[in-house]
Amino acid sequence: MADPLSIIAGTVGIIDVCVRLVEFLHDVKKSVANVNAEIQALLDEVESLKGINESIASSYSDWRQTAKGPPATAARIESYWKKLDVSLQGCTKIISKLEAVLRDIHRGSGSKTTSALETFSKEKRRRSKNDDLRRLRDQLASYQRGLHILLQMILFETQGLASKSVESLVNEVKELRKLLASQVSSLHSSPPAPPYSDSEDLTDTFATDQLQQLGDSIFSAANLLATASGNKHFDVPQPLSSLYTGRQSLLGELKHIFFPLKSDLSQRQKRFVINGIGGSGKTQFCSKFAAENRELYWGVFWLDARSSEGLQQTFSVIAKIAEIEPNETAVLYWLSNLGERWLLIIDNADDPQLDVSRLFPKGDRGHILVTTRNPLCTTHGNIGPKYFEFEGLDEVDASELLLKAADQTPDPSSCIIAKRISKALGFLALAITNAGAAIRSHLCTFKNYLATYKEYWERVRRDRLPPSVTPGETSQSDYMKIWASFELSYAKIEAQNTQSSNDAIQLLKVLAFFYCENIRVDILLKAVTNLKLEQDQAGNEDVRQKNLHQSVELPKQSWSQTCWNTWRTANLLLLGCLFQERGPCLLPHFLWESRDRGVLDEFRLRAAFRQLVSTSLVIHKKSNDSYSLHPLISEWARERPEAALSEHDFLSQQYLRARSASMIIAASILLPPLGETEDDEGEPVKF
């Protein structure tokens, strides 16, 4: 708790000096006519400082006599008073130095002028001390503003302020930080100040320390104010896994990089890069950091940098929050002018052709995290070490993650097995999580997982390793280890040979060609329902047109009408072909078998999704009941080898599955006149 005696003594001491100075300056004003304006300005400044200190003393007295409120609020207010106490001590030193300089100028007869020679001597001393007076007055003005801001922060907590007052307070903090930075820079560039004869030395180092201390107090208090303001918007690339393990020290280090204990007086945008191999946990790390520090940011947003389509999709999400045009320029401009503190996560900026810097909002606001596999992107970091390099987890964290994911008791024998499995998987978080899910789902046992995994690792290595890559090449080897863990889960699901397992395998092959975020169940449900509606509508329209032609001669259709009808008919025919029983079925059976009824068996669909979720091949986001795939899993599911197929047949199947995915999306959107509203059309979906 702030020391009551210290705060009271600090304010009383400053008020006492202010009273003496006011009396002294009134006398000086009468004696030295040629410095009237300057003395009047200084008099006003001291009077204002006196008023602020009287307000501080009164507010502190009231606070001590009232209820402190909720613990979190009371703790913040207590911290404000401590910061204010430190600032009062610094202010006392500055104003005491100012008094010493003024008395040195008017030494001898004090403020009384007895002769022209003495007036000349005083004016000469004043001019010699002019730089010192200016510097002390500037510093005193900074302290006055700092004390005012700290008092306003206390009033915000105890009395409440309107949103405009809070915004004004935030702007004051920014302006004061710039002013302090300018003053510190000026002290560093100016020649050393001489010591004063009648008091302790006031060197540039002393002044710099005092200003830095004031800046630290304001900076820390502003962080607390941000905590009190709370988070309004929170959107991260992935839901935070309940299994998240490890890298706690890096999370703490990153927080101190973005929120240092000592303030950085230079205002700038802060950027940091997380670089590493796919599957090493970069995105989960950023999601974890955002979740732990959520209340320090007014808004947390993210951009999907995997593709231009992903960027467009995520820019649109931010634009909806901001209520602006859904495009890159508008969103970046909005962020660059946002007064509140925000965090932007730019995820999967892996493409060497992507200029990541164009995704940074202009100006000096905000915090940015970038995840990437491209080491060249690390140059975009501008604070602290600039980037973290992620490889595998350390052995202890990797083993702990596997035991949690596999739901195993951490006894000595299990820990030994966990270390062996984790090592075989390269200590990579995604592969370990997938292995744990396979064990937890009883696709294999904890003890025989390693033997089974090695079998699939050799198969993937044989089938997928390019001739130009040697077996000892680390990066390729690491990716093959991850693929092998996916392959094991896939093969075990396939071997069950049940309806839900077969549906899951077929569903995964199609989902691999969707955009891998926010895949909603209603897309598949609408695809079947809408196809039936449009087929019935087409049949009814054909009958109506035939009957109409027999009774009335119709005018010729316009060119645009002809094109529309042709496209519509071709679309229905293609959809119909995909749903027909001819050749190998590329659509999941539960879709194909629903073509006549026009209603999809949602229970069967959910059962297939459960199979994939239970093995961590698919992630379920409960907040909006959607599903997503990790980019590596999506890539693996598209590219995995089919042993019984030639390369030509494999590519043909890839094309047809991609076409199937696109047509499912098309079928989920009703065509006019059946779909005449925005609700009928549904939200746009990427694939």
Side-chain angles (χ1 to χ4, degrees):
M1 180 176 178
D3 184 0
L5 292 177
S6 177
I7 290 179
I8 292 171
T11 55
V12 169
I14 293 176
I15 291 170
D16 182 54
V17 176
C18 288
V19 169
R20 296 201 311 269
L21 261 180
V22 168
E23 293 175 353
F24 182 82
L25 291 171
H26 273 302
D27 290 339
V28 171
K29 181 183 175 183
K30 296 175 183 177
S31 303
V32 188
N34 62 337
V35 290
N36 249 356
E38 184 179 341
I39 294 299
Q40 182 60 53
L42 183 55
L43 178 60
D44 292 341
E45 291 168 9
V46 175
E47 289 278 18
S48 177
L49 181 62
K50 176 187 172 187
I52 288 177
N53 277 269
E54 288 172 345
S55 297
I56 291 173
S58 174
S59 298
Y60 185 69
S61 177
D62 292 343
W63 178 74
R64 291 184 64 196
Q65 297 173 18
T66 57
K68 300 302 185 290
T73 303
R76 282 196 300 272
I77 296 175
E78 174 68 25
S79 181
Y80 291 148
W81 283 119
K82 288 181 180 178
K83 303 298 181 187
L84 195 144
D85 185 15
V86 172
S87 298
L88 283 171
Q89 294 174 31
C91 185
T92 301
K93 292 179 181 178
I94 296 297
I95 197 170
S96 296
K97 300 302 177 186
L98 180 61
E99 181 184 27
V101 171
L102 290 171
R103 290 194 179 280
D104 183 48
I105 292 173
H106 295 277
R107 65 176 179 263
S109 59
S111 60
K112 305 295 183 184
T113 303
T114 56
S115 67
L117 181 60
E118 186 175 341
T119 299
F120 175 78
S121 298
K122 287 182 178 181
E123 178 63 13
K124 184 178 179 181
R125 289 195 296 272
R126 188 192 68 80
R127 291 185 179 183
S128 69
K129 301 291 187 182
N130 192 54
D131 288 343
D132 299 328
L133 276 172
R134 177 188 54 79
R135 195 181 323 184
L136 285 167
R137 287 179 63 186
D138 288 345
Q139 293 169 15
L140 196 62
S142 296
Y143 265 99
Q144 180 178 325
R145 292 181 67 180
L147 292 173
H148 169 74
I149 289 172
L150 288 167
L151 181 58
Q152 288 297 107
M153 289 179 177
I154 292 169
L155 294 177
F156 167 76
E157 294 283 5
T158 57
Q159 301 176 14
L161 292 174
S163 58
K164 286 188 176 179
S165 298
V166 176
E167 183 179 350
S168 173
L169 191 57
V170 170
N171 290 332
E172 281 192 62
V173 170
K174 291 178 181 178
E175 290 174 7
L176 180 56
R177 290 182 67 191
K178 290 180 180 178
L179 179 61
L180 292 173
S182 174
Q183 290 179 358
V184 169
S185 175
S186 175
L187 286 169
H188 286 159
S189 60
S190 63
Y196 297 100
S197 58
D198 58 350
S199 63
E200 63 182 73
D201 289 351
L202 180 59
T203 61
D204 289 343
T205 301
F206 169 83
T208 301
D209 290 344
Q210 293 299 306
L211 292 173
Q212 184 69 48
Q213 190 176 66
L214 175 61
D216 291 343
S217 296
I218 297 297
F219 184 73
S220 300
N223 282 339
L224 287 171
L225 183 64
T227 303
S229 304
N231 175 263
K232 303 299 182 186
H233 302 285
F234 186 79
D235 188 24
V236 291
Q238 293 177 359
L240 185 61
S241 172
S242 59
L243 300 174
Y244 185 90
T245 304
R247 298 192 170 116
Q248 293 299 323
S249 62
L250 292 182
L251 286 167
E253 184 179 346
L254 184 58
K255 181 177 181 179
H256 289 146
I257 289 170
F258 277 137
F259 301 99
L261 296 177
K262 285 188 172 292
S263 65
D264 180 3
L265 294 178
S266 61
Q267 180 74 13
R268 57 174 173 163
Q269 187 178 83
K270 296 182 178 181
R271 302 187 295 271
F272 200 83
V273 180
I274 311 297
N275 178 52
I277 185 174
S280 57
K282 302 184 296 296
T283 303
Q284 275 287 302
F285 177 85
C286 291
S287 297
K288 177 72 170 177
F289 174 81
E292 287 190 347
N293 299 283
R294 177 173 182 166
E295 294 305 319
L296 296 177
Y297 294 102
W298 176 85
V300 176
F301 313 100
W302 79 285
L303 295 174
D304 181 0
R306 279 173 294 193
S307 63
S308 57
E309 293 80 10
L311 284 170
Q312 181 181 352
Q313 176 84 355
T314 43
F315 272 125
S316 296
V317 173
I318 300 175
K320 189 173 183 180
I321 293 171
E323 298 181 345
I324 56 176
E325 290 296 318
N327 60 66
E328 177 179 325
T329 302
V331 170
L332 294 180
Y333 179 81
W334 177 72
L335 286 173
S336 67
N337 289 279
L338 195 61
E340 292 82 0
R341 179 184 290 140
W342 49 263
L343 170 67
L344 178 66
I345 301 172
I346 303 175
D347 195 36
N348 290 309
D350 306 323
D351 187 353
Q353 303 303 316
L354 174 67
D355 179 12
V356 182
S357 63
R358 75 175 174 83
L359 303 178
F360 301 156
K362 295 179 181 178
D364 56 7
R365 299 179 179 180
H367 294 174
I368 297 175
L369 278 174
V370 180
T371 72
T372 179
R373 302 184 206 175
N374 181 5
L376 296 179
C377 275
T378 57
T379 57
H380 294 296
N382 68 348
I383 51 172
K386 298 184 179 180
Y387 67 94
F388 290 151
E389 182 73 34
F390 278 16
E391 295 178 347
L393 298 170
D394 65 49
E395 186 179 69
V396 175
D397 288 338
S399 300
E400 182 185 346
L401 174 59
L402 179 61
L403 291 170
K404 286 197 293 187
D407 196 21
Q408 298 291 309
T409 304
D411 56 57
S413 61
S414 295
C415 289
I416 292 173
I417 296 173
K419 287 180 181 179
R420 291 173 181 170
I421 295 174
S422 300
K423 184 177 181 180
L425 296 173
F427 302 111
L428 293 167
L430 180 61
I432 291 170
T433 302
N434 185 266
I439 295 166
R440 189 179 63 250
S441 301
H442 306 293
L443 300 183
C444 57
T445 67
F446 188 59
K447 291 184 178 179
N448 74 4
Y449 178 87
L450 198 55
T452 309
Y453 164 79
K454 287 180 178 178
E455 175 187 342
Y456 286 98
W457 155 242
E458 288 299 327
R459 181 185 301 177
V460 171
R461 183 174 179 275
R462 181 181 64 250
D463 293 341
R464 298 300 299 173
L465 191 62
S468 60
V469 179
T470 61
E473 189 168 335
T474 304
S475 61
Q476 184 69 34
S477 175
D478 287 337
Y479 282 116
M480 292 300 103
K481 288 175 182 178
I482 297 174
W483 277 36
S485 69
F486 303 157
E487 197 67 30
L488 187 152
S489 298
Y490 180 95
K492 291 299 182 179
I493 293 175
E494 193 175 44
Q496 292 178 19
N497 198 28
T498 61
Q499 184 185 70
S500 61
S501 65
N502 292 335
D503 288 345
I505 292 296
Q506 294 167 22
L507 179 61
L508 179 64
K509 290 178 179 179
V510 174
L511 294 182
F513 291 91
F514 277 61
Y515 176 65
C516 56
E517 296 286 343
N518 294 320
I519 303 170
R520 303 192 313 270
V521 169
D522 64 327
I523 295 172
L524 300 169
L525 296 176
K526 287 180 179 179
V528 174
T529 304
N530 293 351
L531 180 65
K532 178 65 174 174
L533 286 173
E534 292 198 347
Q535 287 176 333
D536 291 345
Q537 172 71 10
N540 294 336
E541 181 66 16
D542 289 342
V543 172
R544 192 182 73 82
Q545 290 289 344
K546 184 177 180 181
N547 293 335
L548 197 57
H549 271 293
Q550 292 174 351
S551 59
V552 180
E553 184 177 353
L554 295 174
K556 292 184 178 180
Q557 289 184 331
S558 67
W559 179 82
S560 60
Q561 288 174 321
T562 302
C563 290
W564 170 257
N565 288 334
T566 302
W567 179 87
R568 183 171 176 270
T569 302
N571 191 51
L572 288 171
L573 286 173
L574 183 54
L575 284 168
C577 288
L578 287 170
F579 278 86
Q580 291 297 318
E581 186 175 3
R582 58 179 67 175
C585 179
L586 296 178
L587 287 172
H589 281 303
F590 52 82
L591 284 176
W592 175 64
E593 293 171 359
S594 304
R595 68 192 188 282
D596 293 328
R597 291 184 292 112
V599 178
L600 180 60
D601 186 345
E602 185 173 353
F603 178 81
R604 186 173 172 183
L605 174 62
R606 296 281 185 179
F609 269 117
R610 277 197 299 273
Q611 283 271 355
L612 299 174
V613 171
S614 68
T615 54
S616 291
L617 292 176
V618 167
I619 301 168
H620 182 218
K621 192 173 183 179
K622 294 181 180 179
S623 61
N624 62 356
D625 191 26
S626 67
Y627 296 86
S628 61
L629 288 76
H630 189 282
L632 281 183
I633 293 178
S634 181
E635 179 187 6
W636 159 78
R638 289 194 305 272
E639 302 290 337
R640 68 174 301 278
E642 298 278 358
L645 296 177
S646 66
E647 182 176 359
H648 177 270
D649 290 341
F650 172 66
L651 292 174
S652 298
Q653 281 211 357
Q654 276 193 314
Y655 169 78
L656 289 172
R657 287 192 182 114
R659 191 65 179 164
S660 300
S662 68
M663 298 315 296
I664 289 173
I665 299 298
S668 69
I669 304 172
L670 274 177
L671 298 174
L674 295 175
E676 296 178 338
T677 68
E678 188 173 331
D679 290 338
D680 291 332
E681 294 178 0
E683 297 180 20
V685 181
K686 301 292 182 182
F687 55 89

